[in-house]
Amino acid sequence: METLCTRAGNLLDEPDPGQALATWLHAVGAHAVANRGLGASLMRDGAPALGETCHDMITKAGEALLTRAQAADTVRPDITITQLLKLLGAIAPATEQDADGPAEAGLLLAIAINGVHAR
């Protein structure tokens, strides 16, 4: 979690706020797939206080990136970091059994970010 939060802080200096947010979301998604439900397990069974702390850390880190992207008009203003994290939370378990789960999760996240309409 600390690595993801540090990465979010580093991405705040990137010139394209929308791309910075997308880069970070991909990193969070890959982490979620690789850890195969660890966060949910902590919240549910093992250490709810630790799980809440991790959730708070990742939410705060993502919020900074999202706010910057919204201020630059690269992300819709009605989207919340909670919604984006829920999206990742849905993608991770759907892809964790795939041979290359992080790559599949990345593809699904790219579809969600870019939409399904041909450009």
Side-chain angles (χ1 to χ4, degrees):
M1 282 299 149
E2 288 177 1
T3 301
L4 290 170
C5 292
T6 298
R7 184 150 190 209
N10 293 339
L11 286 166
L12 287 171
D13 294 330
E14 289 295 313
D16 182 341
Q19 185 56 50
L21 176 63
T23 297
W24 184 76
L25 289 171
H26 279 280
V28 173
H31 173 80
V33 172
N35 284 295
R36 299 182 185 254
L38 177 63
S41 177
L42 283 174
M43 295 290 279
R44 183 183 57 247
D45 303 325
L50 177 60
E52 287 178 28
T53 299
C54 291
H55 179 76
D56 290 345
M57 287 171 57
I58 209 76
T59 300
K60 184 178 177 183
E63 184 67 38
L65 289 167
L66 176 61
T67 299
R68 184 171 173 256
Q70 288 170 324
D73 285 330
T74 60
V75 174
R76 290 176 16 194
D78 60 330
I79 293 174
T80 68
I81 193 61
T82 301
Q83 291 168 326
L84 293 174
L85 293 174
K86 284 180 182 180
L87 179 63
L88 291 173
I91 290 172
T95 59
E96 67 184 20
Q97 299 300 319
D98 290 359
D100 191 357
E104 183 68 10
L107 175 61
L108 292 175
L109 180 58
I111 291 169
I113 290 171
N114 297 320
V116 296
H117 299 285
R119 303 255 181 233

